[in-house]
Amino acid sequence: MDIRQIRYFVAVAEERNIGRAAKRLFISQPPLTRQIQQLEDELQVKLFERTAKGVELTSAGQLFLNESRNILSLIEQAQERTQRAGKGQLGRLDVAIFGSGILNTIPDILKRFKTAYPGVNIVLHQMSKAEQIEALRQKRISVGFNRLLAPLPDIDSTMILQDKLMVAVRDDHPLATKSLINLKELDNEPIVVFPKGARPNFVDLVSRVFQEAGVTMNITQTVIDAVTGIALVSGGFGFCLIPSSASVLQLPGVKYIPLGGLPDNATVDLSCIYLKDDHSPLLSAFLAVVHEYKSQLNHHTSFSAARE
Amino acid sequence: MDIRQIRYFVAVAEERNIGRAAKRLFISQPPLTRQIQQLEDELQVKLFERTAKGVELTSAGQLFLNESRNILSLIEQAQERTQRAGKGQLGRLDVAIFGSGILNTIPDILKRFKTAYPGVNIVLHQMSKAEQIEALRQKRISVGFNRLLAPLPDIDSTMILQDKLMVAVRDDHPLATKSLINLKELDNEPIVVFPKGARPNFVDLVSRVFQEAGVTMNITQTVIDAVTGIALVSGGFGFCLIPSSASVLQLPGVKYIPLGGLPDNATVDLSCIYLKDDHSPLLSAFLAVVHEYKSQLNHHTSFSAARE
DNA sequence: AATTGGTAATACCTTAAAGGTATCAAGCAG
DNA sequence: CTGCTTGATACCTTTAAGGTATTACCAATT
């Protein structure tokens, strides 16, 4: 049995006339007659009664007509869905995020992607940097969001943005009135740092900055993520240096003040990582959204810079 | 797209190796490679990633694998169901019955047919003789049960049994004690007859019998069917002649007594009728059951005749 | 670094089957 | 009885599926 034969059968059943059906199918009548005969032979069932005016369906033929329509429609659907899946418009994308990365940029990107590809089911996984890399290699995830990556041979990354540093400070502290804090002003002040976990990470960046500026760093706590660090600031444990994108988080009694007097490379990047040899259309589609987001981000910041 | 290609695709997806799949399909590797390429070209989707050890499904391929399995299973089902329909094991059979015909024989036949062909949905219609013939011609029904048919050019019939005549009589009537009533004993007695409707019918048979025997027939009521007639006997309206198969009906105060002194042709047949040019397997199957029923009926009656 | 074993891809040929043309046989309307 | 329409058959052409031989590629191993 053959899809062609099924198509032919449906045409004949609908036209109730082999010659007319042949015209509709843009073939001549004899091969159509033969295909129908073959179909009947194979099924060992008479599908049509031959009459003087044409043909008419037997009851078995009527049943087979229904089934045939189902089959053709299922095939059509399969083709369409497969093509959509091939364009990355359908399927499932497993994405890893890290603790505080969820604060603003990542939700924006995910929201854009969901709008552009509503057929794709996004599944989020909270994972540390090391876990993300392992999960990528095991193909449990397709993309991970992260900061401060060391290059790896099998993993590519795309930098999304570079956060400058800010200081989280209690609003009853003398420095809280300033619009810019110089690193030197934090000399020997109590500092909460994060995260715990695989190096290199944000702590290393902060340490390097202090070291290069010759400022003493007085670490009082090392906590798991930015949210916890800022909560400790709110609780009076001291200062906390954060990537500026974490400043969307509002906690009672906490103010965020830009940190000045730093070298240009004192930034922390947000990147997304993915397997170098993953050519799936879903990933490509996702990265396209990321790049679009990135370029709009640049335009926007240059605009606001021009206005200021 | 082609069912063959779908089968090939499933084999390759399952073996994750084109060469192995080719062996399983009893073809050589190159044409299989080509068929898969064609499928990919047609869908414009890469279904497999080619690796050193074989191939592996892309996510679009995974989706298409699911769809393919659905398609193949639907095709298989369609073939099987169509073949069963072709053997008359599946479908719908519209059967017409008449008022009192439902009393014993017809339910027996229907029961047998339902046991032998459980996949067939039997739909019953109550119809008079004339209605049945019209419905047959319009193909609203496939079989009708009836009595006393006049032959028609486009309709065939099969006689199922011939009922002898019996008399329904109130049990308080003097004749009710007899084991056989002679027609002459009904001379000028009040008689209820049935049915109303298209001739020839049961009334005509009864009238003819009276006439040929030279007995005066005193019709007091003409009612629609046997059940009503017997009910009137129960109500004291007189006698009622019935086909013996209607004697399974028990009503208070009514006895059935065989009618004697009649010619051999004083019987009323039960037949089923159908279109002469209906060659549907469902009808054939049904008629086969009818014939089987008939032959068993004959064996049974000859046995009981032998024993008596 | 070269080799070998196993993979899919390609080139070229053979064979099977689908399609086309011409014609026939059957049934119905005039 | 005669066209006219229908599906069926015979025979040829063309398309496409399948086979054989070979190549290109990758990875694991020596």
Side-chain angles (χ1 to χ4, degrees):
Chain A
M1 189 148 77
D2 190 355
I3 293 179
R4 190 196 301 111
Q5 288 176 326
I6 296 178
R7 290 221 164 82
Y8 286 5
F9 166 76
V10 172
V12 173
E14 283 175 356
E15 296 290 343
R16 296 208 301 278
N17 178 310
I18 296 187
R20 258 204 314 276
K23 258 179 211 158
R24 193 174 110 181
L25 295 165
F26 302 109
I27 61 172
S28 62
Q29 169 259 320
L32 184 52
T33 294
R34 244 180 303 140
Q35 291 296 330
I36 297 295
Q37 287 172 338
Q38 281 177 25
L39 189 60
E40 288 182 327
D41 285 355
E42 188 185 336
L43 292 172
Q44 304 188 332
V45 168
K46 249 178 81 180
L47 298 171
F48 294 104
E49 289 293 342
R50 275 70 169 174
T51 71
K53 280 176 246 152
V55 295
E56 62 186 43
L57 285 167
T58 62
S59 59
Q62 184 61 56
L63 187 144
F64 189 64
L65 177 59
N66 291 334
E67 303 277 0
S68 294
R69 290 198 171 118
N70 288 343
I71 291 168
L72 292 181
S73 127
L74 188 56
I75 288 172
E76 220 171 293
Q77 275 181 45
Q79 289 180 325
E80 200 183 306
R81 289 165 54 83
T82 306
Q83 285 173 358
R84 284 180 56 201
K87 289 184 207 148
Q89 292 170 354
L90 198 71
R92 168 180 165 152
L93 189 70
D94 288 86
V95 179
I97 54 177
F98 61 100
S100 64
I102 197 64
L103 290 175
N104 58 351
T105 306
I106 296 176
D108 280 357
I109 292 174
L110 295 180
K111 208 170 109 190
R112 277 160 180 265
F113 183 75
K114 279 170 92 160
T115 312
Y117 295 86
V120 176
N121 188 15
I122 296 178
V123 181
L124 292 180
H125 306 265
Q126 290 250 354
M127 285 185 193
S128 72
K129 202 185 309 181
E131 286 172 334
Q132 286 188 19
I133 288 165
E134 196 191 345
L136 274 178
R137 290 184 173 141
Q138 295 175 357
K139 311 212 170 151
R140 298 198 326 269
I141 62 171
S142 298
V143 201
F145 283 95
N146 230 310
R147 296 191 192 278
L148 293 163
L149 301 157
L152 287 166
D154 56 341
I155 287 175
D156 269 0
S157 68
T158 296
M159 210 259 292
I160 298 168
L161 54 80
Q162 289 188 307
D163 274 337
K164 297 218 187 301
L165 297 186
M166 294 185 93
V167 185
V169 52
R170 266 201 71 88
D171 55 5
D172 54 4
H173 190 279
L175 286 175
T177 57
K178 307 192 66 170
S179 65
L180 188 85
I181 293 179
N182 198 292
L183 192 60
K184 293 189 179 85
E185 298 176 88
L186 297 179
D187 188 61
N188 215 30
E189 292 284 347
I191 306 271
V192 178
V193 296
F194 62 91
K196 288 178 167 164
R199 299 300 174 92
N201 62 24
F202 189 54
V203 179
D204 299 305
L205 174 76
V206 172
S207 311
R208 180 171 62 81
V209 167
F210 272 83
Q211 205 164 12
E212 285 176 2
V215 179
T216 307
M217 189 176 175
N218 172 20
I219 297 179
T220 57
Q221 297 283 335
T222 302
V223 297
I224 187 129
D225 62 10
V227 178
T228 317
I230 294 165
L232 291 191
V233 172
S234 169
F237 283 74
F239 298 88
C240 181
L241 271 66
I242 61 162
S244 55
S245 67
S247 66
V248 291
L249 185 68
Q250 298 294 335
L251 258 76
V254 178
K255 258 187 93 177
Y256 301 106
I257 297 168
L259 191 60
L262 298 176
D264 279 351
N265 65 351
T267 57
V268 56
D269 59 301
L270 173 67
S271 299
C272 66
I273 59 175
Y274 44 90
L275 280 181
K276 192 168 282 185
D277 59 355
D278 183 347
H279 305 295
S280 95
L282 246 74
L283 177 60
S284 308
F286 189 82
L287 293 178
V289 170
V290 168
H291 280 115
E292 187 199 318
Y293 176 84
K294 216 168 107 177
S295 69
Q296 289 192 7
L297 204 69
N298 289 339
H299 286 152
H300 183 263
T301 48
S302 51
F303 268 118
S304 35
R307 270 197 240 147
E308 279 168 11
Chain B
M1 190 147 77
D2 191 355
I3 293 177
R4 189 198 301 114
Q5 289 176 325
I6 297 178
R7 291 221 163 81
Y8 286 4
F9 166 76
V10 172
V12 173
E14 282 175 357
E15 297 289 343
R16 295 210 301 277
N17 178 310
I18 296 186
R20 261 204 312 277
K23 259 180 210 155
R24 192 173 111 181
L25 295 165
F26 303 109
I27 61 173
S28 61
Q29 171 258 318
L32 184 52
T33 293
R34 241 178 307 140
Q35 291 296 331
I36 298 295
Q37 286 172 339
Q38 280 177 26
L39 189 59
E40 288 181 328
D41 284 356
E42 189 185 336
L43 292 172
Q44 304 188 332
V45 168
K46 251 178 77 181
L47 298 171
F48 295 105
E49 287 293 340
R50 276 67 169 175
T51 70
K53 281 175 248 155
V55 295
E56 60 185 45
L57 285 168
T58 61
S59 59
Q62 184 62 55
L63 187 145
F64 189 64
L65 177 59
N66 291 334
E67 303 279 358
S68 295
R69 290 196 171 119
N70 288 343
I71 291 168
L72 291 181
S73 127
L74 188 56
I75 288 172
E76 219 172 294
Q77 275 182 43
Q79 289 180 326
E80 200 184 305
R81 288 165 55 83
T82 305
Q83 285 172 359
R84 284 180 56 202
K87 290 183 206 147
Q89 292 169 354
L90 196 72
R92 167 179 167 156
L93 190 69
D94 288 86
V95 179
I97 54 178
F98 62 98
S100 63
I102 196 64
L103 290 175
N104 58 351
T105 307
I106 297 176
D108 279 358
I109 292 174
L110 295 180
K111 208 171 110 191
R112 278 163 179 263
F113 183 75
K114 279 170 91 161
T115 313
Y117 295 86
V120 177
N121 188 16
I122 296 179
V123 180
L124 292 180
H125 306 265
Q126 291 249 354
M127 283 185 193
S128 73
K129 201 185 308 182
E131 285 172 336
Q132 286 188 17
I133 288 165
E134 198 192 343
L136 275 177
R137 290 185 174 142
Q138 295 174 357
K139 310 216 170 147
R140 299 197 328 265
I141 61 170
S142 298
V143 202
F145 284 96
N146 230 310
R147 296 190 192 277
L148 294 162
L149 300 158
L152 288 167
D154 57 339
I155 287 175
D156 269 359
S157 69
T158 297
M159 212 260 291
I160 298 168
L161 54 78
Q162 289 189 307
D163 274 338
K164 296 219 189 301
L165 297 186
M166 294 186 89
V167 184
V169 52
R170 268 203 69 92
D171 55 6
D172 55 4
H173 192 280
L175 286 175
T177 57
K178 306 193 67 168
S179 65
L180 187 85
I181 293 181
N182 198 290
L183 192 60
K184 293 189 180 86
E185 299 177 89
L186 298 180
D187 188 61
N188 216 30
E189 291 283 348
I191 305 271
V192 178
V193 297
F194 64 89
K196 289 178 166 163
R199 302 300 176 89
N201 62 23
F202 189 55
V203 179
D204 299 305
L205 175 77
V206 173
S207 310
R208 181 172 60 84
V209 168
F210 272 82
Q211 203 164 14
E212 286 175 3
V215 178
T216 306
M217 188 175 175
N218 172 20
I219 298 178
T220 57
Q221 297 282 335
T222 302
V223 297
I224 188 127
D225 62 10
V227 178
T228 316
I230 294 164
L232 291 191
V233 172
S234 170
F237 282 74
F239 299 87
C240 182
L241 271 66
I242 60 162
S244 55
S245 66
S247 66
V248 292
L249 183 70
Q250 298 294 334
L251 258 77
V254 177
K255 259 186 92 174
Y256 300 105
I257 298 169
L259 190 60
L262 298 178
D264 278 353
N265 65 354
T267 56
V268 55
D269 59 301
L270 174 67
S271 299
C272 66
I273 59 176
Y274 44 89
L275 280 181
K276 193 167 281 185
D277 59 353
D278 183 347
H279 305 294
S280 97
L282 245 75
L283 177 61
S284 309
F286 188 82
L287 293 178
V289 170
V290 168
H291 281 116
E292 187 200 318
Y293 176 85
K294 215 169 109 178
S295 69
Q296 288 191 9
L297 205 69
N298 290 340
H299 286 151
H300 184 262
T301 50
S302 50
F303 267 119
S304 37
R307 271 199 239 145
E308 279 168 12

